[in-house]
């Protein structure tokens, strides 16, 4: 029987798809390549919820035909090696788009209204926290989007709907596209960091975007500024962010993602009350989790059956000789 390895159990909707696929399922409960390798030796499929897969592991897993990701991020997959070996990397575009946008929107309002900090203080008996006047209205403020893909565009609509101005920085989007929506196009990252009241990041993690927001960029922000990251850990230099929060150089921050995941309790950002942290859960709503798990499972099974599944991040993998037999 063909075998599929899963780093961590999928949403039941995805598990149901695999159960109907006449495959043996092995759940490693670890995304560490070395831990997964013994199970991968005779596996045709791999689905990574949390973890990574590197070149060394792929070269040893000689039966591997497909790698699945229940989401769109592939920064922890050696896509270059996968393409070289003719292994399509299945993704789930669009399945969690609205969930992530809603999460970023919720974090923005929570920061502006000082909700999490006030909740913690009230539970300590500090009713007087109501008079610290840290909360402010979001109406009329400017949302600065760094990245205007599917998630960013939905968040823009939400923000505009409650009376926010929207400025967009994305070198891959034409200014006229932004203008047609009634938003302001920003050609310079530094300028949007200066003028926006809220910065929300929606870009993939690449060599160019790693530490895209560091000390210099954070110092450009308003003292009342909020920065939100629901994209990938590593987009913001976490040491620089911790320093900015410690010195109260910005109003607050919120992050759903971290450079190293799962996080440990000695994470520097956990020390500060002016940041909201969530465990990479923006795309883990009931609807999104079911959607991405289903798409990943269906795609992995299809590729194992020899189908050229369209939702892959590396379509060049289909040019490999193994697909021309």
């Amino acid at each position: 029987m063909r075998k599929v390895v899963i780093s961590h159990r999928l949403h039941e909707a995805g598990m149901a798809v695999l159960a109907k696929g006449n495959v043996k399922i092995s759940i490693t409960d670890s995304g560490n390549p070395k831990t997964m390798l013994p199970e991968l030796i005779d596996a045709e499929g791999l689905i990574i919820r949390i973890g990574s897969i590197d070149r060394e592991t792929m070269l040893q897993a000689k039966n591997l035909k497909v790698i699945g990701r229940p989401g769109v991020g592939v920064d922890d997959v050696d896509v270059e090696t996968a393409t070289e070996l003719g292994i399509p990397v299945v993704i789930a575009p669009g399945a969690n788009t609205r969930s992530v946008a809603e999460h970023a929107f919720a974090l923005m309002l929570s920061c502006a209204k000082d909700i999490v900090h006030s909740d913690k203080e009230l539970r300590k008996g500090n009713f007087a926290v109501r008079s610290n006047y840290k909360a402010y209205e979001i109406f009329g403020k400017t949302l600065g989007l760094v990245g205007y893909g599917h998630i960013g565009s939905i968040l823009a609509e939400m923000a505009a709907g409650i009376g926010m101005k929207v400025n967009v920085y994305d070198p891959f989007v034409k200014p006229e596209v932004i203008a047609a929506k009634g938003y302001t196009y920003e050609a310079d990252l530094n300028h949007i960091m200066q003028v926006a009241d809220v910065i929300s990041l929606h870009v993939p993690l690449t060599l160019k975007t790693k530490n895209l927001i560091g000390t210099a960029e954070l110092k450009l922000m308003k003292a009342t500024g909020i920065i939100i990251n629901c994209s990938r850990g590593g987009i913001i230099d976490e040491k620089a962010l911790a320093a900015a929060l410690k010195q109260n150089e910005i109003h607050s921050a919120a992050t759903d993602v971290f450079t190293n995941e799962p996080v440990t309790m000695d994470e520097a950002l956990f020390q500060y009350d002016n940041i909201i942290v969530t465990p990479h859960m923006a795309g883990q709503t009931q609807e999104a989790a079911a959607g991405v798990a289903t798409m990943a499972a269906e795609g992995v099974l299809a590729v194992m059956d020899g189908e050229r599944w369209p939702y892959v991040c590396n379509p060049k993998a289909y040019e490999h000789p193994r697909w021309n037999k």
Side-chain angles (χ1 to χ4, degrees):
M1 180 179 289
R2 299 176 304 170
K3 179 178 175 182
V4 175
V5 174
I6 309 174
S7 67
H8 302 81
R9 189 174 182 85
L10 300 174
H11 185 280
E12 289 308 313
M15 297 303 296
V17 171
L18 292 176
K20 295 177 182 178
N22 192 32
V23 293
K24 177 184 177 182
I25 301 169
S26 174
I27 303 173
T28 60
D29 287 320
S30 171
N32 185 308
K34 292 183 179 179
T35 303
M36 293 189 293
L37 181 58
E39 292 295 332
L40 285 173
I41 293 297
D42 60 344
E44 291 188 18
L46 166 65
I47 300 177
I48 305 174
R49 271 196 62 201
I50 303 171
S52 62
I53 183 75
D54 54 21
R55 180 179 180 83
E56 181 182 355
T57 305
M58 277 187 261
L59 290 175
Q60 294 181 73
K62 297 187 182 300
N63 292 314
L64 193 62
K65 293 181 177 178
V66 58
I67 297 168
R69 279 281 297 119
V72 294
V74 292
D75 42 284
D76 287 328
V77 176
D78 187 337
V79 177
E80 184 177 348
T81 296
T83 305
E84 174 190 326
L85 297 175
I87 301 173
V89 179
V90 170
I91 56 176
N96 63 2
T97 299
R98 181 158 294 276
S99 292
V100 177
E102 287 183 359
H103 195 85
F105 188 74
L107 290 177
M108 174 179 69
L109 288 175
S110 296
C111 283
K113 303 304 179 183
D114 197 33
I115 287 176
V116 174
H117 172 243
S118 297
D119 174 273
K120 290 178 180 177
E121 287 300 306
L122 181 57
R123 291 171 188 272
K124 297 175 186 176
N126 180 14
F127 194 78
V129 71
R130 68 192 290 269
S131 298
N132 71 357
Y133 304 114
K134 190 174 183 182
Y136 63 76
E137 293 183 1
I138 213 75
F139 178 81
K141 301 298 193 298
T142 298
L143 169 64
L145 288 173
V146 178
Y148 188 73
H150 296 300
I151 296 170
S153 63
I154 292 176
L155 180 58
E157 292 175 357
M158 293 178 179
I162 60 168
M164 294 187 77
K165 302 170 187 175
V166 178
N167 290 23
V168 177
Y169 169 78
D170 191 327
F172 299 100
V173 177
K174 295 180 179 179
E176 53 266 33
V177 172
I178 304 303
K181 289 288 187 178
Y183 310 146
T184 299
Y185 180 81
E186 296 280 359
D188 181 65
L189 175 63
N190 287 344
H191 189 258
I192 199 171
M193 298 297 296
Q194 290 176 310
V195 302
D197 297 288
V198 180
I199 293 289
S200 192
L201 307 174
H202 300 282
V203 295
L205 179 62
T206 66
L207 292 176
K208 289 186 177 180
T209 61
K210 183 174 176 60
N211 292 332
L212 179 69
I213 307 298
T215 300
E217 290 75 23
L218 290 168
K219 286 187 178 298
L220 293 173
M221 292 182 66
K222 298 178 180 180
T224 55
I226 296 168
I227 188 164
I228 296 165
N229 187 10
C230 287
S231 53
R232 277 291 183 270
I235 305 294
I236 300 179
D237 181 332
E238 290 176 358
K239 290 184 178 179
L241 179 59
L245 294 170
K246 181 178 182 180
Q247 300 300 322
N248 289 306
E249 293 175 353
I250 59 175
H251 177 279
S252 54
T255 186
D256 184 53
V257 290
F258 300 85
T259 301
N260 297 307
E261 297 180 4
V263 295
T264 57
M265 294 313 298
D266 59 356
E267 171 64 51
L269 294 175
F270 289 178
Q271 300 178 43
Y272 307 106
D273 288 329
N274 50 350
I275 182 171
I276 299 173
V277 293
T278 54
H280 205 152
M281 61 178 282
Q284 294 298 305
T285 60
Q286 296 173 25
E287 297 86 352
V292 297
T294 297
M295 286 188 73
E298 289 177 344
V300 165
L301 291 177
V303 173
M304 288 171 59
D305 286 338
E307 181 181 334
R308 297 188 182 218
W309 187 253
Y311 305 117
V312 300
C313 73
N314 60 337
K316 286 190 175 181
Y318 294 130
E319 298 175 10
H320 190 276
R322 68 158 60 177
W323 284 93
N324 298 312
K325 291 180 181 179

